Amino acid sequence: MNFIPYASASKIAVDVMGGHLDVGVSGLPALLEHIKGNRLSGVGVLSKARDLGNKDLPSAGETPELKGADFFFWTGLFAPKGTPAPIVNKLNLAFAEVLKEQKVKSRFAELGVKISDPANPQAFGAFVAQSSAQFEQLVKQSNAPRN
């Protein structure tokens, strides 16, 4: 397979549905409606466990050749660099409160999104750094061309 970077999941979906790509990799929430509408065929997810949004798709953890693979897309709330700590902490607390709302939790579950316990800003920063390092290592191992 050739690595072709895309700016968005919607562009990947359009090109797969249009026959311009044979396969695409993207976060499942962005493609779930296309899969449910039979416009795309879901092949599997790259995490160890099946996805909340579509339990019918096999996981990498179930695939002998991919045992040990556990890649998942995550989303977080970010503020501009240099935002004062009191504002960052206030945003973090407000975001945590919204994520506790049943309506929000239900909608995320429909989309196959697992809500993690909101971390404090420092723990989230460490997670982002670790995740970035993991993907940087994967890019290096793949020998994918860099522009």
Side-chain angles (χ1 to χ4, degrees):
M1 283 200 286
N2 292 320
F3 173 71
I4 304 169
Y6 270 73
S8 70
S10 61
K11 291 180 181 181
I12 293 171
V14 166
D15 279 359
V16 173
M17 289 186 292
H20 306 290
L21 292 175
D22 296 323
V23 65
V25 177
S26 180
L28 187 57
L31 304 179
L32 201 53
E33 292 304 316
H34 295 299
I35 293 169
K36 288 180 178 178
N38 293 317
R39 294 180 296 278
L40 286 175
S41 296
V43 176
V45 295
L46 294 174
S47 55
K48 283 185 185 176
R50 289 188 178 216
D51 192 88
L52 295 172
N54 192 331
K55 296 278 187 186
D56 295 334
L57 293 177
S59 70
E62 300 171 64
T63 307
E65 297 81 8
L66 298 174
K67 285 276 192 229
D70 191 20
F71 301 103
F72 57 93
F73 291 89
W74 55 266
T75 303
L77 181 65
F78 295 87
K81 185 175 182 170
T83 301
I87 293 174
V88 170
N89 290 330
K90 187 173 183 174
L91 286 168
N92 180 261
L93 291 172
F95 194 56
E97 286 302 312
V98 169
L99 292 176
K100 290 179 187 175
E101 294 179 16
Q102 190 56 48
K103 187 175 181 179
V104 172
K105 289 174 14 178
S106 295
R107 181 61 180 142
F108 275 131
E110 288 172 17
L111 294 171
V113 176
K114 176 185 173 195
I115 299 175
S116 297
D117 290 332
N120 62 51
Q122 295 75 24
F124 181 61
F127 168 79
V128 171
Q130 181 271 331
S131 181
S132 295
Q134 177 188 18
F135 282 102
E136 186 175 326
Q137 183 63 33
L138 285 172
V139 169
K140 285 179 184 175
Q141 289 174 351
S142 74
N143 293 317
R146 289 184 172 221
N147 295 337

